């Protein structure tokens, strides 16, 4: 079963598959520094929470490699500026902040190294972030596939596949693993208006995997769910708060409520880099507001009266109570989420509050 790799680290540059042109055109662009990576993220040439984190780490690595800094302090100052620039590109996915912080933390814990060797080590750290994501996705797939029964009809939203990660996928990684186990699953793919990640990217990946699937428009989901044609819903995540509230592509919340009232499992699959323990609930997650043109136009062609305004929040937050389980590389986590996320991800017991 073919995996799709959206980025390749080659000769200290990042080769990026331009996802805006998929599924019909497979074109790569080359990013040579953090500014070019930041622009590729803003322009959605690469997207998906884990992938933008990986790209940010490579963006930092490219600048570090080219840096003329001769002291640790100078290098750190440069890294801080690069990190701040990259972090501003998209606000919701915490993986971006996570990857930048990991690069900064790595530098801080290796400050005694000679500057040239520190620069090399930082480049290796970016490669490690990429490789770990790939491994974590495979583990998520293997663990998550245990929740999928033979012949399950699975509904997914947006694209949480190889294209959104280092190359295997989270929600789609679970589907990929279940299909490899010959579970004879089928998939309903929400088209994911307005950016059409489901229609353009998820169907592309499923077709390449050879998994049976149907594209549906987002407003059809209720029909299929209420008519008992969906057995399970599985989605990715952009940020998970300490209590399990989860931000993901706009429309996810609606699906979670539908699954809850129709009594079908709703799973979130995400690596632990998507956890944000610095916020207690989903209310604190910043939601990216995108251009209204992405709603009033389709492929650059207006579909509304010129006086019509539109709104475009790119993500919504699903309260933890609608989530049956969160599948991570560290295990399957169920309610009570606050205690169990803390225990499984941070590996510690919550100390009873006095
Ligand atoms: O706007 P996008 O395409 O970056 O949104 C992507 C999603 O919402 C994904 O579901 C999420 O990032 C998880 S990807 C493994």
């Amino acid at each position: 079963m073919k995996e799709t790799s959206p980025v390749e680290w080659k000769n200290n540059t990042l080769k990026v598959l331009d996802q805006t042109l998929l599924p019909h055109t497979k074109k790569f662009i080359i990013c040579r520094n953090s500014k070019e990576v930041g622009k590729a993220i803003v322009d959605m040439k690469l997207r998906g929470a884990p992938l933008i984190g990986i790209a940010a780490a490579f963006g930092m690595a490219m600048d570090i490699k080219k840096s003329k800094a001769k002291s640790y302090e100078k290098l750190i100052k440069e890294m801080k500026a690069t990190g701040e620039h990259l972090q501003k590109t998209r606000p919701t996915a915490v993986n971006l902040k996570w990857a930048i912080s990991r690069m900064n933390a790595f530098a801080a814990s290796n400050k005694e190294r000679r500057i040239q060797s520190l620069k090399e080590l930082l480049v290796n750290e970016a490669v490690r972030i990429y490789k770990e994501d790939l491994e974590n996705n495979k583990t998520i797939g293997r663990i998550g596939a245990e929740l999928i029964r033979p012949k399950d009809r699975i509904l997914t939203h947006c694209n949480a596949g190889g294209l959104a990660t280092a190359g295997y996928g989270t929600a789609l990684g679970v589907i990929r693993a279940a299909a490899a186990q010959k579970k004879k699953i089928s998939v309903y793919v929400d088209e994911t208006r307005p950016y059409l990640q489901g229609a353009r990217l998820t169907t592309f990946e499923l077709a390449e995997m050879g998994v049976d699937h149907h594209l549906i428009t987002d407003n059809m989901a209720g029909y299929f769910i209420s008519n008992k044609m969906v057995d399970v819903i599985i989605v990715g995540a952009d940020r998970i708060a300490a209590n399990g509230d989860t931000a993901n592509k706009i429309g996810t919340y609606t699906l979670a409520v539908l699954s809850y009232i129709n009594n079908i499992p709703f799973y979130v699959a995400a690596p632990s880099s998507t956890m944000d323990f610095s916020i207690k609930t989903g209310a604190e997650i910043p939601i990216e507001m995108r251009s209204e043109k992405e709603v009033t136009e389709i492929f650059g062609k207006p579909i509304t009266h010129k006086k019509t305004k539109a709104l475009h929040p790119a993500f919504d937050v699903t309260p933890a109570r609608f989530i049956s389980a969160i599948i991570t590389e560290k295990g399957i986590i169920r309610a009570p989420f606050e205690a169990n996320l803390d225990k499984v991800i941070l590996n510690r017991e919550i100390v009873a509050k006095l």
Side-chain angles (χ1 to χ4, degrees):
M1 206 174 290
K2 223 165 112 188
E3 283 169 33
T4 322
S5 263
V7 290
E8 194 186 339
W9 179 242
K10 216 175 167 186
N11 305 327
N12 295 313
T13 62
L14 193 65
K15 191 174 162 194
V16 176
L17 175 61
D18 183 348
Q19 299 191 27
T20 61
L21 303 176
L22 288 174
H24 301 303
T25 307
K26 251 186 171 179
K27 191 182 153 208
F28 291 86
I29 57 160
I30 305 290
C31 296
R32 292 184 174 78
N33 53 49
S34 68
K35 288 258 152 49
E36 291 180 2
V37 168
K39 182 156 174 15
I41 295 174
V42 168
D43 294 346
M44 298 284 278
K45 293 193 185 302
L46 58 97
R47 29 65 53 201
L51 185 61
I52 59 178
I54 291 164
F58 280 129
M60 289 181 87
M62 286 187 269
D63 287 12
I64 291 164
K65 188 84 191 159
K66 291 197 180 80
S67 164
K68 297 204 165 43
K70 293 208 165 37
S71 71
Y72 170 78
E73 287 70 25
K74 180 85 193 349
L75 184 68
I76 289 299
K77 209 172 152 198
E78 288 177 5
M79 283 175 68
K80 197 166 169 271
T82 306
E84 278 167 9
H85 164 73
L86 285 166
Q87 209 172 306
K88 280 190 199 128
T89 54
R90 296 197 75 191
T92 303
V94 77
N95 311 60
L96 200 54
K97 184 172 148 203
W98 173 86
I100 294 163
S101 308
R102 180 159 152 180
M103 293 292 282
N104 288 336
F106 185 89
S109 55
N110 285 280
K111 66 196 300 182
E112 76 289 351
R113 300 263 182 183
R114 303 246 301 260
I115 195 78
Q116 208 45 43
S117 116
L118 177 59
K119 288 179 188 172
E120 290 302 330
L121 288 171
L122 279 160
V123 173
N124 295 345
E125 185 66 1
V127 175
R128 205 159 21 244
I129 287 174
Y130 170 85
K131 288 189 176 161
E132 276 177 22
D133 187 66
L134 195 56
E135 279 319 302
N136 288 343
N137 279 209
K138 288 181 181 170
T139 309
I140 289 170
R142 182 172 45 76
I143 297 176
E146 288 167 23
L147 299 170
I148 306 297
R149 293 150 302 186
K151 297 201 178 146
D152 261 355
R153 296 157 301 174
I154 306 168
L155 189 145
T156 191
H157 190 65
C158 194
N159 172 265
L163 288 167
T165 62
Y168 189 87
T170 56
L172 224 49
V174 173
I175 290 170
R176 189 190 293 273
Q181 293 168 2
K182 309 246 177 301
K183 286 195 171 163
K184 294 195 187 334
I185 51 168
S186 57
V187 183
Y188 294 104
V189 183
D190 265 0
E191 70 170 350
T192 321
R193 272 276 289 157
Y195 217 82
L196 305 180
Q197 289 93 330
R200 295 187 305 102
L201 309 175
T202 300
T203 55
F204 172 74
E205 288 200 49
L206 288 168
E208 298 242 310
M209 279 182 219
V211 174
D212 182 42
H213 64 282
H214 287 93
L215 176 65
I216 61 171
T217 62
D218 302 333
N219 49 357
M220 293 176 189
Y223 169 85
F224 289 105
I225 294 169
S226 64
N227 282 300
K228 310 214 175 307
M229 294 159 82
V230 176
D231 301 303
V232 47
I233 299 177
I234 177 159
V235 297
D238 283 80
R239 192 186 295 226
I240 303 173
N243 71 344
D245 290 353
T246 295
N248 190 49
K249 181 51 57 194
I250 190 78
T252 302
Y253 166 66
T254 319
L255 292 175
V257 175
L258 279 168
S259 76
Y260 190 78
I261 59 170
N262 286 281
N263 213 14
I264 61 169
F266 183 89
Y267 299 128
V268 170
S272 52
S273 55
T274 314
M275 282 299 313
D276 186 353
F277 285 101
S278 75
I279 56 169
K280 285 200 175 101
T281 76
E284 294 170 69
I285 300 177
I287 299 296
E288 175 183 2
M289 295 300 291
R290 292 187 62 85
S291 160
E292 62 180 303
K293 281 202 166 157
E294 290 174 359
V295 179
T296 57
E297 295 180 355
I298 291 184
F299 295 123
K301 221 175 154 200
I303 55 164
T304 59
H305 190 284
K306 59 179 184 306
K307 285 190 183 156
T308 298
K309 295 186 287 179
L311 296 166
H312 184 189
F315 301 94
D316 58 25
V317 174
T318 297
R321 69 177 184 282
F322 297 131
I323 300 173
S324 314
I326 300 175
I327 307 159
T328 74
E329 79 278 11
K330 302 199 176 186
I332 295 171
I333 301 161
R334 292 183 190 269
F337 285 109
E338 191 179 350
N340 289 340
L341 283 166
D342 204 86
K343 195 154 94 185
V344 178
I345 308 286
L346 294 180
N347 214 353
R348 59 175 197 201
E349 298 284 343
I350 282 197
V351 181
K353 292 181 188 105
L354 293 175

